[in-house]
Amino acid sequence: MCGIAGFYRLPIAPDRKRGQLQRMIRTLAHRGPDGDGVYVDGDAGLAHARLSIVDVDGGRQPMSNEDGTVWVSFNGEIFNYVELREGLIARGHVFKTTSDTEVIVHLYEERGPDCVEMFNGDFAFAIWDSNRQHMVLARDRAGVRPLYYTQSAGGIAFASEVKALLTLPGVKAELDPIALDQMFTFWFPLAPRTPFKNISELPPGHVMIVNRDGARTHQYWRFDYPDAADDRPVSAKEEARLTEEVRALLLDAVRIRLRADVPVGAYLSGGLDSSITTAAIRTFTPDTLRSFSVAFANAEFDESAFQQEMVAALDLNHAVTVCEENDIATVMGDVIRHAERPLMRTAPAPMYMLSRLVHDNGIKVVMTGEGADEVFAGYDVFKEAKVRRFCAAQPGSRLRPLLLRRLYPYMPRMNAQSQRYLEAFFGNHRDSISDPLYSHLPRFRSSQGAKAFFSAELRDEIGEYDALDDLRERLPPEFQRWHPLSQAQYLESAYLLPGYILSSQGDRVAMANAVEGRFPFLDHRLMEFAARIPPRLKLKGLREKHILRESVADLLPTDIARRPKQPYRAPESRAFVGTAAGAEMLTRMSRSSIADAGYFDGALVDRLVNKCTRFASTGFRDNLAFVGVLSTQVWHETFVQQSSVGIGTPLASSQPVNSDGNGRARVAVNS
């Protein structure tokens, strides 16, 4: 895990290119504190900030092939690099390191941009091919590692984080109103859009090739599912075979993710998924395993009893950070600075604290359980959609809606509502059962309620744009043929997973403290196999992740193996009440601050703040709006108001490059 940056054909004077690359990569030093390097070749420049994990001494970047015609700056890990390296050596390639990075350049020599199809890993990289005079940008299948870019003056610049792009002359931070509308609907912008105007994100599973003729992008992988017509009853023998295959794939995904020249730890939430990954690690290593957890002072969110049960069962060396509600207000500014976007939830804040705990304990790599809910249908939204469809099939039934009370046992406020309220909240969209977004409509529409706080000026800029229609139009043609559960899984996996879970709650808050997360459930072999498993084996009745539970039941204590899903959550508006840190954060929601930014209606925000600070308990929509408005204001202050480096200075005109006789201006610095 590292930070990468670079450019191609930007009109920057030759004697300024190296300095510009250094300015870009210095903003990413938190991602790679172990060294940095830059490389310049004519119109192309690469930069790298290194977190050394594989081949600690020899894996410095940017790195080239034998003759220096292919250079790479790489963020992430290629977990099957051992097998790929052996094959490349057998075919005559000569390696000078034992790093996974060097595998990329050699496999690129053989396969060109299609090399991405051979990688089992989490990656974002840039390859400069001097023979073909093009830059190749690529991102992993699930979207674990980020990659942003901006195009101007016939050129392109790219980086692991937007803040590196903001060091470029002429690139400024400005809010994209459509992106904000999307975030107040889905909790994230729809890639390639980002919160920043004129700055884009390379979507997961995509490759971009840039040359003098421009840029072209293609998708090399996406989530796919069988047609619903193929769904059929499964015999006990077939279920046993599928269960065994799930176990084998999962254990192998864990095994290859233990490849590192530094210790690998584990996140342990106390839930099923992190418990599985932690238990699986213990099957491969006799050494004491370091594990890390967040505990909450507020019992509503705390899972520490289950964490301690796993610690005792696996004999772990365990460390805990306890999150008090005021801690969220204390770190929220840093979280927004690293997330680089407004947030609708506070959940990334405790994860930021957790990665800081890992860093303070000298660990660089942690295994996590992210992805299991998407791959094996673990989220409550899947059960909720199934119950809603069941109720819609007999709208006059008085018994079927009673199932709604079984959906959210961990949410006392929800369960305190009347049966009539629950039926209205969950079942008031029976007429939209054919809508491709049916499974997620209650969530999306509840989130959209926060848009009531938009200012009139922002509404005018957004105009008639409809985020839900935009998402519907992006769905693949075969989506309508999939089983309803597969459709819901696709919405989670292709959008929420990379857009929020792996980004704001994953890479950005982990790498803020130079910690790399590894995700065995997002091994593409496991994802592709699980997609073909009949839906009835993933959500069996209302038992989520049925086949996954069966595949690893012997690895876990019974209480953990049978435990129902309790989503990770954190205190929200109340975290900003009654402390100095909270009061300081709330100044961003003052009438003057709201007016200065111009995104929200000051009078409505005043009423929202008054409600959330006066009452001990507020509802989902109020909390969502509160966090969304506050984080947008913090984002505005952090980037629009304070990001002045490089803004307003025109790009230098292009000048001839002083070459080395071969047309290349070479500068390579590694530390």
Side-chain angles (χ1 to χ4, degrees), residues 534-654:
R536 67 188 69 207
L537 294 183
K538 287 181 275 193
L539 183 57
K540 192 168 188 177
L542 291 182
R543 189 193 193 208
E544 73 276 7
K545 292 183 287 200
H546 166 75
I547 193 167
L548 176 62
R549 292 175 185 273
E550 293 300 306
S551 71
V552 295
D554 62 307
L555 298 180
L556 304 174
T558 302
D559 288 349
I560 301 294
R562 294 179 178 175
R563 189 184 174 204
K565 175 69 178 176
Q566 179 175 332
Y568 164 66
R569 299 177 300 135
E572 296 184 297
S573 61
R574 296 301 300 174
F576 299 90
V577 178
T579 67
E584 197 275 332
M585 288 296 292
L586 288 180
T587 61
R588 278 80 171 185
M589 299 177 79
S590 68
R591 186 69 72 97
S592 61
S593 295
I594 292 292
D596 287 344
Y599 309 136
F600 303 106
D601 183 304
L604 293 178
V605 171
D606 275 352
R607 289 200 285 271
L608 175 67
V609 172
N610 184 55
K611 180 178 181 180
C612 289
T613 54
R614 285 183 57 200
F615 298 101
S617 179
T618 48
F620 172 81
R621 295 184 188 184
D622 288 334
N623 274 308
L624 202 74
F626 181 96
V627 177
V629 171
L630 174 59
S631 64
T632 303
Q633 290 293 112
V634 175
W635 178 90
H636 176 82
E637 178 183 284
T638 302
F639 294 101
V640 178
Q641 290 184 342
Q642 296 183 8
S643 294
S644 59
V645 177
I647 294 176
T649 304
L651 290 166
S653 60
S654 180

Side-chain angles (χ1 to χ4, degrees), residues 230-243 532-538 540 546-547:
D230 297 337
D231 190 31
R232 67 194 193 291
V234 180
S235 67
K237 182 178 180 180
E238 177 70 0
E239 180 175 347
R241 183 190 69 79
L242 293 171
T243 301
R532 299 192 299 272
I533 294 174
R536 67 188 69 207
L537 294 183
K538 287 181 275 193
K540 192 168 188 177
H546 166 75
I547 193 167

Side-chain angles (χ1 to χ4, degrees), residues 185-213:
T185 302
F186 310 119
W187 305 358
F188 55 88
L190 296 172
R193 195 180 293 271
T194 75
F196 298 84
K197 277 187 179 179
N198 303 317
I199 295 177
S200 302
E201 174 184 15
L202 185 67
H206 279 68
V207 169
M208 175 186 286
I209 301 174
V210 188
N211 57 29
R212 288 183 174 272
D213 297 325

Side-chain angles (χ1 to χ4, degrees), residues 515-526:
V515 173
E516 173 187 298
R518 295 186 175 183
F519 312 91
F521 286 107
L522 297 180
D523 186 300
H524 73 275
R525 301 169 301 168
L526 184 59

Side-chain angles (χ1 to χ4, degrees), residues 269-586:
S269 70
L272 179 69
D273 309 330
S274 66
S275 297
I276 289 172
T277 57
T278 306
I281 294 172
R282 295 295 280 134
T283 68
F284 292 108
T285 174
D287 300 328
T288 300
L289 175 64
R290 300 295 306 274
S291 57
F292 304 89
S293 295
V294 173
F296 288 93
N298 187 327
E300 180 182 348
F301 308 98
D302 188 54
E303 299 180 75
S304 57
F306 298 102
Q307 296 164 8
Q308 292 303 318
E309 185 172 355
M310 284 301 300
V311 169
L314 298 178
D315 190 25
L316 304 173
N317 183 349
H318 191 63
V320 180
T321 183
V322 179
C323 180
E324 305 278 352
E325 290 191 348
N326 64 295
D327 290 330
I328 292 175
T330 300
V331 304
M332 200 64 178
D334 286 338
V335 170
I336 299 299
R337 181 167 57 86
H338 286 288
E340 298 183 328
R341 64 181 56 177
L343 300 172
M344 305 302 290
R345 311 304 299 268
T346 59
M351 297 303 293
Y352 172 81
M353 296 172 58
L354 180 59
S355 71
R356 186 169 60 192
L357 173 70
V358 173
H359 178 271
D360 290 346
N361 277 269
I363 298 295
K364 294 181 178 181
V365 184
V366 289
M367 204 91 75
T368 92
E370 296 291 5
D373 288 313
E374 291 82 1
V375 172
F376 289 101
Y379 285 127
D380 289 318
V381 71
F382 302 136
K383 292 189 290 186
E384 178 190 309
K386 187 172 186 177
V387 170
R388 288 169 51 228
R389 288 181 185 276
F390 183 66
C391 294
Q394 290 188 14
S397 173
R398 299 176 60 185
L399 296 177
R400 293 191 175 201
L402 296 177
L403 288 172
L404 297 171
R405 291 198 173 276
R406 294 180 55 185
L407 292 175
Y408 298 100
Y410 51 84
M411 295 179 66
R413 183 179 176 86
M414 175 69 74
N415 286 294
Q417 301 293 340
S418 68
Q419 184 66 28
R420 179 173 295 181
Y421 172 89
L422 293 177
E423 291 180 37
F425 181 82
F426 291 113
N428 60 351
H429 305 306
R430 293 191 181 101
D431 58 336
S432 58
I433 198 167
S434 61
D435 192 313
L437 306 182
Y438 177 81
S439 59
H440 286 63
L441 281 180
R443 177 199 288 176
F444 292 160
R445 288 173 172 166
S446 292
S447 297
Q448 283 185 318
K451 296 197 298 184
F453 296 90
F454 284 177
S455 66
E457 294 79 10
L458 182 65
R459 291 177 184 277
D460 288 342
E461 287 193 74
I462 295 170
E464 298 299 316
Y465 172 78
D466 187 314
L468 298 180
D469 282 346
D470 190 346
L471 180 55
R472 291 183 186 103
E473 292 172 3
R474 294 167 183 256
L475 300 175
E478 59 270 29
F479 182 92
Q480 291 288 3
R481 302 199 303 266
W482 295 340
H483 188 280
L485 179 60
S486 299
Q487 293 177 338
Q489 284 185 268
Y490 181 83
L491 293 175
E492 288 287 329
S493 302
Y495 294 104
L496 187 74
L497 179 66
Y500 172 71
I501 300 294
L502 295 175
S503 176
S504 300
Q505 203 166 289
D507 172 270
R508 309 311 289 277
V509 290
M511 288 305 293
N513 291 297
V515 173
E516 173 187 298
R518 295 186 175 183
F519 312 91
F521 286 107
L522 297 180
D523 186 300
H524 73 275
R525 301 169 301 168
L526 184 59
M527 291 191 292
E528 291 167 357
F529 182 81
R532 299 192 299 272
I533 294 174
R536 67 188 69 207
L537 294 183
K538 287 181 275 193
L539 183 57
K540 192 168 188 177
L542 291 182
R543 189 193 193 208
E544 73 276 7
K545 292 183 287 200
H546 166 75
I547 193 167
L548 176 62
R549 292 175 185 273
E550 293 300 306
S551 71
V552 295
D554 62 307
L555 298 180
L556 304 174
T558 302
D559 288 349
I560 301 294
R562 294 179 178 175
R563 189 184 174 204
K565 175 69 178 176
Q566 179 175 332
Y568 164 66
R569 299 177 300 135
E572 296 184 297
S573 61
R574 296 301 300 174
F576 299 90
V577 178
T579 67
E584 197 275 332
M585 288 296 292
L586 288 180

